[in-house]
Structure formats: structure tokens, C-alpha cells
Amino acid sequence: MPPDVIIAGAGPTGLLLANELALAGVRTIVLEKDLERGGQSRALNLQPRTAEVLDLRGLLDPIAEQAVATLPTGHFAGIPLDYSVFGTRFPYQVGIPQARVERFLEDRLAAYGVPVLRGHELTGLAQDADGVTATVAGPDGTATLRAAYLVGADGGRSRVRGALGVGFPGRDGRISLAVADIVPEPHEALPTEWRLPSFDVGGGPFLIPLGDGVHRFLFAAPDQAVDREAPVTAEEVRTALATGPGPHLALRELRWASRFTDASRQADRYAVDRVLLAGDAAHIHFPAGGQGLNLGMQDAFNLGWKLAATVRGHAPRGLLDTYHTERHPVGAAVLENTRAQLALLNPDDDVRALRSLVSGLLAEPAANRRIAGMISGLDIRYPMPPGTPAHPLLGTRLPNIQLPTARGLFLTRTPTPSLHTAIAPWRGRVDHTTLPDLPADALLLRPDGHVCWAGTPTTAGLRPALHHWFGPAS
Ligand SMILES: Cc1cc2nc3c(=O)[nH]c(=O)nc-3n(C[C@H](O)[C@H](O)[C@H](O)COP(=O)(O)OP(=O)(O)OC[C@H]3O[C@@H](n4cnc5c(N)ncnc54)[C@H](O)[C@@H]3O)c2cc1C
């Protein structure tokens, strides 16, 4: 049986999307060019909204069991942000290496019976009115694979994006940095706890302990003219560890290293007909504030239920288009804030003064709320269609709720038979439950936990909202 959806890329974005599609009963195949999963750290954190989203599906606890640390705050260019003002159960960052999140999500796919074809690289694609044909190079040669939809979750150098000819405006990197997982020689100055990135350039190398003597080490390439494709050498790491006025550390073992830059680009379209882009394939930016993996996983969460409804044939017209209209502005805002953070990290005297001023501003509750909301992903408010009755909760996420089914949820504060009857034609797509401490008389939630109707028991606008998000009544 051919798949409904092909996902190119088994990074965090592709794997979460595949999990969402599997939950909704959509036949999915994941193509991954690498034969083996790398054990490297790269992203090290789950922001509060990602934690909420995983918890919504009951996935957070088993992932968090593998966490290395909890960071009590977020940060903007190293300036602490208080996440506790958003009514979330997770007002902190879960400190966990990216590879562990990926391994967990890939293992779950195995349990669902979703194939992750490692050693299979998507090398080309063509689409027509009925579907997409992918060309795939695998261990046994090149073959074609057909599906109704294809998602490029294949990272910053996305082949899918290239094949679509989608624009990727922005700018190239101006600085060259390196990240390495290392085992340093024991030293009393080695950190034992996670801390926020330091602006103190005299403070010595910035290391994060990952357990078993392994540390993540992030540094600016000593030679900025370095070929950005060249492997990071142990010599470079040694030099960086022993540079600067702080304690000089020695390298015992280099486990993995990679270069990265402050390049900042965003796809100008997240979808072209039957092919969609998500995660780093749609946006790249400097990893300031710890947002890239989180942004990609939230793309996947936004896209999953919409693509599932489309494949299953009950999506209302235009539902899939809302993936671009909702997620592109969120990505654009992250690109902006990472560039602002990078500017604040410039060790220039005038910037130091600006940074001190911003620090003072962020101590003000309103400023903290604004920036913390953006970095954590907790303040996202998706636009609702014209005519939806106004309500302060409209478009926002409903915190602290579980929605393990990937269906919509209709919530009432008290048992209300008239409303129960009103949603009956959408049974199978929308469940109904009562919640005594609901912040409205009644709420309609999309499968991603965002409020798409809120009201009183008069049901004004409820049927149009059901129709708009869940398709025609049956
Ligand atoms: C130094 C550094 C630190 C970072 N720290 C953080 C952090 O603390 N917090 C945070 O949120 N983010 C962080 N990020 C960003 C984060 O790592 C990325 O945003 C995240 O990996 C994006 O996930 P993805 O699944 O979209 O893409 P990727 O992780 O790049 O996954 C893409 C996958 O597609 C595969 N692939 C590529 N081409 C093909 C093809 N043609 N066919 C099949 N498979 C293909 C690749 O092998 C890969 O497995 C950091 C990044 C860097 C470089």
C-alpha cells in the first residue's frame, strides 16, 4: 500500500510530524539520508510551549526522564527571562540533548509501525494534480516513491526547498562558530551545573555539562577566515579551550564537532501545492535563546492535524493554507529576535551600555512578558477567521490540558446538553468533555490545543467555527 505522506528528514521536525500523522492514522514513510543516528547534542532545550505540546500528547514525561537538567529561566542574549507569568505547568526549560529527543520519537514510530528508511536520500521530486513522486537513492540504488503529499523536513540545506524553487531570502553568515561535544581533562573550574550563556568575555570557555564527563563547548572559530565546510580539528578545540584570560582547560577527547554561522534566511512559501516545508528547511537563524528545534517541532505540531484531515478527505477548504499563514509570521519573528540577540552579544563598549539598558527593561514585567512570550512560544495567537465571535482567548493556546487523540475538543464548564447536541454532527472529529475550572463557559479547541471558538451557552458562531476548522457536518 503506498504511503499517504512522505517525510524527507528524520530530525526532530520530521519525527514529531510523523508521530502526529501516525496518531491520526495517516500512512507515512520517513526518508533519512544518514544510515546511523548521530549522538551529538546540538539543541539542548525544550522551551515551555514545546513541553506543553509534548504533554498534550502524553509524551513529555518519558522524554523528560532523559533530561540532563532543568533551567529555571529562559534568556534573551543571556539576560534571564521569567516564564512563570504564563500560567504554564512548565515555566522552565527542559535541558536535554537533541539526539535523545530524536531517539525517543523514532522509537515511538517503530511502535506505530511507521518506517524510517535510513540510508535513503531524497534526490528529486515531481508533483502533479494527484500526488508527488519522490526519487530516492538508497542502498539498493535509485527508486521512485509516490504519495499524496510530501513534507521537506530535511534541514537548512533542504533539497526539497531547492526542488520547489522556493525563495530563501535573508543573509549569509558573517561569523563562523563551532560546537563540540568534548571530554575535557578534569579541572576544578569545570561547571557541574547548567547556566545561562555568559556575556562576560573574560569568564573563560563556556561549557555545559552533559553527563559522563562529556561537555558541550561552543566557541568562535579562532581563525574567522576558516573554510566553513572544513571539519573542526582537535587542535582548534584545544586552542579555543586554552584561549582568554579565564581558566585554561585541556582536551582529553573530541567526540563530535561541527561549524555553524549566524546565517538568517526564511522560505518565502511554506507550501507549494502538495509539497510542504517545515523546521530548518523553512527557516535558519543563529541559535540564540534556544529556539530552532522548538520552532521546528511547533511547525510539525501545527501541520500534522491539518495534513491528516486533508489526506483523510474531511479538511475544510483552505485548512492546509493556514499552515503557511500561521507559521510564517512566527518564524519571521524568531529570525528577528535572534538577530537582535546577536547584536546584543557583540562585545563592544557601546553595545555593553545598550545591553545594560535592555537588561533593566527586561526586569519590568510588561517587557519580560513580551520577550519571554516570544522565546518560550507561549504567546502565540493564531488569527481566526472574520466573523468568529470575539473573545480574549481566541487563537491562544489553552494551557495545562491533555489531548491525546489528535481530534478537536469541545469543552464546557458544566454539562450542557444543547451544546452537546450542537457538536454531534462532528463526532469522530471533535470530542466533548466538561472541565469545571474552564476559563469560559464553553471552548472549542483545535487538535493543537489552540482556542478556535469561545462563548456562552448561546452557541453563537459555534457551527461556523466547527465547519471552518473541522469540515462539513456529517
Ligand atoms: C550549535 C547549535 C546549537 C543549537 N542549539 C539549539 C538549542 O539550544 N535549542 C534549539 O531549539 N535549537 C537549537 N539549535 C537548532 C536546532 O538544532 C535545529 O533547529 C534543529 O535541528 C532543526 O530540526 P529539523 O528536524 O528541522 O532539521 P535537522 O535537525 O537538520 O534534520 C534534518 C534531517 O534531514 C536529513 N536529510 C537532509 N537532506 C535529506 C535528504 N535529501 N533526504 C533524506 N534526508 C535528508 C538530515 O540527515 C537530518 O537528519 C542549535 C543548532 C546549532 C547548530
Side-chain angles (χ1 to χ4, degrees):
M1 185 80 102
D4 299 313
V5 177
I6 298 168
I7 298 174
T13 304
L15 291 170
L16 183 61
L17 177 63
N19 267 275
E20 282 294 287
L21 293 173
L23 192 63
V26 172
R27 288 187 307 270
T28 306
I29 281 187
V30 183
L31 305 173
E32 170 53 55
K33 73 174 170 52
D34 290 349
L35 258 180
E36 305 283 340
R37 167 158 311 292
Q40 69 267 27
S41 58
R42 275 222 282 173
L44 280 184
N45 66 327
L46 302 176
Q47 293 283 1
R49 182 55 189 160
T50 312
E52 281 190 354
V53 151
L54 291 168
D55 188 55
L56 208 64
R57 299 288 189 254
L59 302 179
L60 182 65
D61 287 348
I63 290 183
E65 270 172 22
Q66 301 176 50
V68 184
T70 300
L71 287 110
T73 68
H75 75 93
F76 184 77
I79 304 165
L81 297 170
D82 176 9
Y83 286 159
S84 68
V85 294
F86 292 97
T88 177
R89 290 200 0 247
F90 314 107
Y92 50 79
Q93 299 186 71
V94 179
I96 181 169
Q98 175 165 339
R100 295 189 193 178
V101 176
E102 293 176 2
R103 195 177 319 116
F104 173 83
L105 292 172
E106 191 165 339
D107 288 351
R108 265 186 69 88
L109 288 179
Y112 275 125
V114 174
V116 178
L117 304 182
R118 293 199 154 269
H120 287 74
E121 180 171 6
L122 179 136
T123 56
L125 64 91
Q127 60 174 323
D128 52 48
D130 302 318
V132 187
T133 304
T135 308
V136 184
D140 304 323
T142 299
T144 57
L145 193 60
R146 181 116 177 127
Y149 288 85
L150 185 143
V151 180
D154 51 344
R157 297 180 181 184
S158 172
R159 196 101 178 222
V160 174
R161 189 183 66 234
L164 289 176
V166 164
F168 200 42
R171 67 159 174 77
D172 289 334
R174 294 179 300 198
I175 51 172
S176 176
L177 296 107
V179 58
D181 290 345
I182 63 170
V183 181
E185 293 292 352
H187 191 292
E188 61 187 14
L190 279 173
T192 51
E193 290 185 343
W194 287 31
R195 58 196 164 94
L196 296 181
S198 164
F199 183 62
D200 180 5
V201 286
F206 180 67
L207 291 131
I208 300 176
L210 301 180
D212 298 329
V214 181
H215 285 68
R216 135 78 75 84
F217 179 37
L218 212 139
F219 59 98
D223 172 12
Q224 280 291 301
V226 67
D227 172 4
R228 290 178 183 176
E229 302 301 319
V232 179
T233 64
E235 206 38 54
E236 260 181 276
V237 178
R238 260 189 208 102
T239 308
L241 278 172
T243 307
H248 290 179
L249 302 171
L251 178 68
R252 176 178 286 182
E253 190 187 333
L254 173 59
R255 292 263 173 101
W256 166 85
S258 169
R259 294 188 199 285
F260 67 101
T261 74
D262 59 336
S264 182
R265 293 184 174 277
Q266 187 179 24
D268 51 23
R269 296 172 73 182
Y270 279 20
V272 178
D273 301 326
R274 292 175 171 271
V275 182
L276 301 109
L277 298 170
D280 276 17
H283 36 70
I284 54 166
H285 55 82
F286 188 64
Q291 300 173 85
L293 166 142
N294 290 274
L295 187 60
M297 287 179 76
Q298 289 169 43
D299 285 348
F301 206 66
N302 184 285
L303 176 58
W305 66 277
K306 296 173 182 174
L307 189 52
T310 307
V311 164
R312 295 170 76 83
H314 57 70
R317 190 192 306 190
L319 181 68
L320 204 50
D321 299 339
T322 66
Y323 169 59
H324 171 91
T325 51
E326 291 182 351
R327 293 304 297 171
H328 190 278
V330 175
V334 170
L335 260 67
E336 280 283 298
N337 85 46
T338 52
R339 290 174 69 171
Q341 290 187 71
L342 193 59
L344 284 177
L345 287 166
N346 183 347
D348 169 278
D349 247 12
D350 290 351
V351 177
R352 200 178 277 273
L354 175 63
R355 187 186 163 79
S356 159
L357 196 137
V358 172
S359 235
L361 282 176
L362 285 177
E364 297 290 330
N368 172 74
R369 192 178 176 90
R370 174 88 179 262
I371 305 296
M374 184 170 24
I375 305 279
S376 63
L378 291 172
D379 72 343
I380 291 168
R381 179 191 289 268
Y382 293 132
M384 290 294 129
T388 312
H391 192 282
L393 292 175
L394 215 55
T396 64
R397 102 258 188 241
L398 185 68
N400 311 332
I401 186 133
Q402 294 234 317
L403 199 47
T405 60
R407 292 193 287 270
L409 189 60
F410 185 60
L411 293 147
T412 49
R413 206 180 270 153
T414 52
T416 317
S418 65
L419 288 178
H420 192 69
T421 310
I423 67 148
W426 283 270
R427 202 155 292 141
R429 283 172 268 165
V430 179
D431 297 327
H432 181 196
T433 191
T434 52
L435 212 61
D437 55 356
L438 200 65
D441 287 335
L443 288 176
L444 181 61
L445 286 191
R446 311 189 317 185
D448 59 2
H450 280 259
V451 176
C452 59
W453 176 87
T456 61
T458 61
T459 78
L462 178 58
R463 279 183 75 88
L466 284 159
H467 195 282
H468 182 89
W469 293 107
F470 299 100
S474 53

